[in-house]
Structures are given as C-alpha cells and as structure tokens.
Amino acid sequence: MKTKLHRDERIRVIVFSILLVVTALLSMFPFYWMILNSFKNPSIIFKVPTDFFTFNLTWDSFAAVFKYENGIIWRAYANSLFIAVTSTIGTLFTSSLAAFAFAKLKFRGNKLIYSIFIATLMIPGQVTLLPLYVIFAKIGWVNTFLPLIIPGCLINTYGVFMLRSFIVSIPDDLIAASKVDGCGTLRQYFHVILPLCKPALITLGLFSFIGSWNNYFGQFIYLSSEDLTTIPLLIASLKESNMTGVEWGRVMAASTLSVIPFAVVYLFCQKYFVQGIATTGLK
C-alpha cells in the first residue's frame, strides 16, 4: 500500500514538474524570440520557414540603434533611469510611512480612512487622466519629468496595501519593546519597521521600477521634447522612423537593451523578491 502511495506521489511530482517546465519555456519564448531577432540579419527575420535556431548572427541592428539620432539612446537611458529610480525611492518612502501608520498607529478613523484609500484602486487611470493633465498644464509641469514622478511618490495605493499587509504581521511586542527603550514613532519606523520590511520593500521597489520604466502611455502624454526622450518613446520612434516599413531588427535590439536594467535588478534581488511575495500578509 505504501509502495503504491509513493509511486502515485512520484507520478504527481513528475507531472507537475513537466507542467512547470513547459509553462516556464512558454513564458521565456517571447524573450528568446526578441533576443534572437535582435541578433539576426534583418533581411532574414521574416524568412520562411522561420529559423528558431540559427548561427547567422550579427551586431548590425545594435549598431543601428546606437547610431540612431546621434546616439540618442544614451540620453534616453539616462532619462528613463532618472525617472524610474527617483519614482521608486519616493514611492518606497511614502508608502512605507503610510503603511506603518495604518498598521501600527492607533488613531480615530484609521479603518475608515484606510477603506476609502483602498477603494481608490477601483478607479481606472483613464478617468483621472484628463483632469490631471489640465492641472499639470496649468502649473507648468507638462514636458517635464514631474508628472511621471510626483503622483506615484505621493499616492501609491497598491504599495500602501502591500506594505501594510506585511507590517501587520510584525509582532506588536517589538513595538512595545522599542517604546520601553525610549523609541519615538519615527525611531520605531526607521529602526524596527524598515529593517524587518526589507523583502517587501525590495518587492515593491522592483514593481515600481518596472512600472515606471515601462510607462509608455504617461511618457507619451507628458513628454514632447527630444531632450526628454525615454526608452519606450525611443522604441516607438524607431517603429515610425522608416517610411518603407518597420525595421524590426532595430526595434528588437532596442527592446533587448531596454530589459537589461530590471533584469539585472531582479537577478540581484531575486531572493528578497520571492520572500516578499511568499510572506506578505502572513501572520
């Protein structure tokens, strides 16, 4: 009987492992296809039958991207990094402060205010797009980086929700012990809460960085100057720069270059990212 149970368990593990491998391969295929086509000779990208594995590789598409508009890709990289890093740091600071207040501070209306705050998640971004644009235009923020940084730093509902779910799981005894040692509210935040929230902070930081880096719609709406070009805007301009058709080799090369920053960040923060996802909200 035990032998049969062990055999059934092994079969389930094998089937589950095969499904996971197949799912992982399917998820990775678009990235593989993008990278492969970025190195292919542009003339054979749409060759029939399609070459899924080829050694006929070249750097021509990457060279074309780096030469495009006198090397504008470096400026686009710098602009995207500035927006993403600044927005991420601001989001982590304000979201963690709000989450700490909602999770551990006792004040009148705490639950009501938090419920109203979370209810804003149901409001689509398209609803507030026009009013925000009018406001930013009147205060002179259009064609600057400020509309892409300040709103996310001031209000990130998902970030507050995620960090609060993590902070709630921190024992109240630690807060009480810090009070006995003479810690005020800010010292509790900096010396108790933040060190224990490292996995959740890194997870939220990764989400914020990727979201800000890939925010093509917001960048397209608010940025029009060439000096403010970002990576998503650069990729879009590559698609539109050739009147004879899209040069997909250049587009794939630029797209490959665009994923490098957050791929590197994820590889270095993978342990904390997995831990943050696995433990957020657990008591």
Side-chain angles (χ1 to χ4, degrees):
M1 186 67 177
K2 290 185 178 180
T3 304
K4 183 180 178 180
L5 289 175
H6 287 313
R7 185 171 64 248
D8 292 342
E9 182 65 24
R10 268 199 307 269
I11 292 174
R12 281 195 293 269
V13 170
I14 292 172
V15 171
F16 187 65
S17 300
I18 292 174
L19 289 175
L20 285 178
V21 170
V22 171
T23 303
L25 291 175
L26 291 175
S27 301
M28 292 171 59
F29 180 77
F31 295 97
Y32 167 77
W33 188 241
M34 175 184 69
I35 296 171
L36 178 64
N37 284 324
S38 69
F39 283 103
K40 274 185 181 180
N41 189 312
S43 61
I44 64 171
I45 289 179
F46 293 102
K47 175 185 174 182
V48 179
T50 302
D51 289 331
F52 290 101
F53 305 96
T54 179
F55 295 98
N56 186 17
L57 305 178
T58 176
W59 291 92
D60 291 348
S61 296
F62 286 94
V65 170
F66 285 113
K67 293 178 182 177
Y68 179 69
E69 297 288 342
N70 297 320
I72 196 175
I73 187 172
W74 298 112
R75 187 185 307 136
Y77 244 110
N79 292 338
S80 289
L81 280 174
F82 176 78
I83 295 171
V85 171
T86 307
S87 177
T88 299
I89 292 174
T91 297
L92 291 178
F93 178 66
T94 57
S95 297
S96 59
L97 272 176
F100 170 57
F102 284 129
K104 295 301 182 182
L105 301 185
K106 308 301 181 183
F107 56 91
R108 183 176 298 179
N110 184 322
K111 293 183 179 180
L112 176 61
I113 296 173
Y114 180 69
S115 299
I116 296 173
F117 187 75
I118 293 301
T120 60
L121 284 172
M122 297 184 292
I123 303 175
Q126 293 82 353
V127 173
T128 59
L129 178 62
L130 185 57
L132 283 176
Y133 184 87
V134 172
I135 293 173
F136 293 148
K138 287 186 176 181
I139 62 178
W141 283 12
V142 173
N143 205 28
T144 71
F145 294 145
L146 294 177
L148 303 171
I149 298 173
I150 300 301
C153 292
L154 294 181
I155 302 176
N156 189 312
T157 309
Y158 174 76
V160 175
F161 169 76
M162 178 181 175
L163 292 180
R164 181 188 177 276
S165 300
F166 192 94
I167 294 174
V168 164
S169 65
I170 297 175
D172 291 336
D173 292 342
L174 292 176
I175 305 296
S178 67
K179 289 181 179 179
V180 172
D181 291 337
C183 286
T185 303
L186 284 179
R187 290 189 65 187
Q188 293 170 15
Y189 167 74
F190 283 109
H191 297 290
V192 179
I193 298 299
L194 286 186
L196 295 174
C197 285
K198 185 185 293 186
L201 288 171
I202 291 177
T203 302
L204 177 60
L206 188 60
F207 286 157
S208 300
F209 185 90
I210 294 175
S212 180
W213 182 275
N214 292 329
N215 184 18
Y216 168 74
F217 189 65
Q219 295 165 12
F220 178 75
I221 293 295
Y222 293 113
L223 304 180
S224 57
S225 173
E226 184 177 304
D227 293 336
L228 304 179
T229 298
T230 59
I231 290 294
L233 295 180
L234 175 64
I235 295 174
S237 68
L238 285 171
K239 293 178 63 177
E240 301 168 357
S241 61
N242 193 344
M243 299 300 294
T244 60
V246 179
E247 294 187 12
W248 288 108
R250 294 194 310 178
V251 174
M252 293 297 179
S255 300
T256 300
L257 292 171
S258 73
V259 303
I260 291 176
F262 50 82
V264 172
V265 171
Y266 175 76
L267 288 175
F268 279 103
C269 302
Q270 183 179 9
K271 179 180 71 173
Y272 296 104
F273 175 74
V274 173
Q275 184 180 351
I277 292 295
T279 58
T280 297
L282 294 181
K283 196 71 174 172

